Amino acid sequence: MSTQPKKAKNWEELINDGENYAGRGAELTPVQKALFESIRDKVVLKVQDSFVFAKLMDTEDPGYPVELAKLIADFEPLDKVTSLIITHNKMNAEALRIITESKVLGKIEYLHLGSNALGDEGARVVAEAPMFSEVHTLNLECNGIGPEGAKALAASPYLTKVQSLSLVDNRVGEEGAYAFADSDTFSNLTYLHLGGNRIKSDEAKKALRESPKLSKIEKLKVF
């Protein structure tokens, strides 16, 4: 009597069975296993809180974001990732630059770096990274990004495919609003959220609403 072939486990079962890690468990360090468990369906890296590594790394150390970035940048199982979600991890410009220079990661299509510490320099890193030339959804909310960071994003040669952009609770101000209104880079935007960015004048809001360069926008939030 023949037996039925054993059904292959799906991706999540392979990496979360506590042993296998898609056949690589024996070669991975504990912190690499934690990172591996943050992969979803092979193409999504989702690290939404530093608590993920709290028992394995000193997440209160100022050097933590850089160590996390190095871990991500050099981790070969991330070679198929197209969605990068790293939030509430104190990610700064130095750490993000390490990720963008990774020889493992390919082109990213969905990028969520909300609630980190990017600032203007981090926004500039995003703007200047070829890795992000395929990004269609970009979320940089709560990152302390000011007018200079906004201008860097608006002038990026790589972010031309972005359709959805959220910069909620930064401080791009009216100077940043005008930069977006005059941006050729963001001509494909259909969604733009600039709430909580100190944009108060009717003139700046009107510039965004009536910009010929943002003609595809279907939903604009400024408050």
Side-chain angles (χ1 to χ4, degrees), residues 9 28 45 75 94 99 124 128 131 152 155 163 175 186:
K9 291 183 177 182
L28 301 178
L45 178 64
F75 197 50
E94 181 185 1
I99 290 174
R124 189 171 291 108
E128 296 175 354
M131 176 187 288
Q163 298 174 29
E175 194 175 350
F186 291 130

Side-chain angles (χ1 to χ4, degrees), residues 7-78:
K7 208 171 187 181
K9 291 183 177 182
N10 64 33
W11 177 253
E12 272 68 31
E13 286 175 332
L14 282 172
I15 66 172
N16 291 315
D17 64 6
E19 298 288 339
N20 197 308
Y21 293 92
R24 306 187 60 166
E27 67 187 71
L28 301 178
T29 65
V31 72
Q32 286 175 325
K33 288 180 179 180
L35 184 60
F36 210 127
E37 290 173 4
S38 299
I39 302 171
R40 301 288 179 267
D41 198 28
K42 297 185 183 180
V43 297
V44 179
L45 178 64
K46 195 172 187 179
V47 186
Q48 291 186 291
D49 197 300
S50 59
F51 180 75
V52 172
F53 300 102
K55 294 181 180 179
L56 303 168
M57 303 169 70
D58 185 356
T59 57
E60 296 302 316
D61 189 296
Y64 163 71
V66 168
E67 291 307 308
L68 175 61
K70 289 178 179 176
L71 176 66
I72 292 170
D74 295 335
F75 197 50
E76 186 272 333
L78 299 178

Side-chain angles (χ1 to χ4, degrees), residues 154 173-183 201-205 207-208:
E174 293 174 7
E175 194 175 350
Y178 284 118
F180 289 128
D182 194 39
S183 174
S201 77
D202 291 336
E203 290 79 9
K205 295 172 185 175
L208 287 166

Side-chain angles (χ1 to χ4, degrees), residues 190-207:
T190 59
Y191 176 87
L192 176 60
H193 199 333
L194 293 174
N197 269 279
R198 308 177 184 178
I199 302 170
K200 297 180 179 179
S201 77
D202 291 336
E203 290 79 9
K205 295 172 185 175
K206 182 179 179 180

Side-chain angles (χ1 to χ4, degrees), residues 93-104:
E94 181 185 1
L96 182 59
R97 184 171 285 108
I98 291 169
I99 290 174
T100 62
E101 293 173 352
S102 169
K103 298 296 190 292
V104 170

Side-chain angles (χ1 to χ4, degrees), residues 152-164:
L153 292 169
S156 170
Y158 298 112
L159 298 176
T160 57
K161 293 188 178 181
V162 174
Q163 298 174 29
S164 175

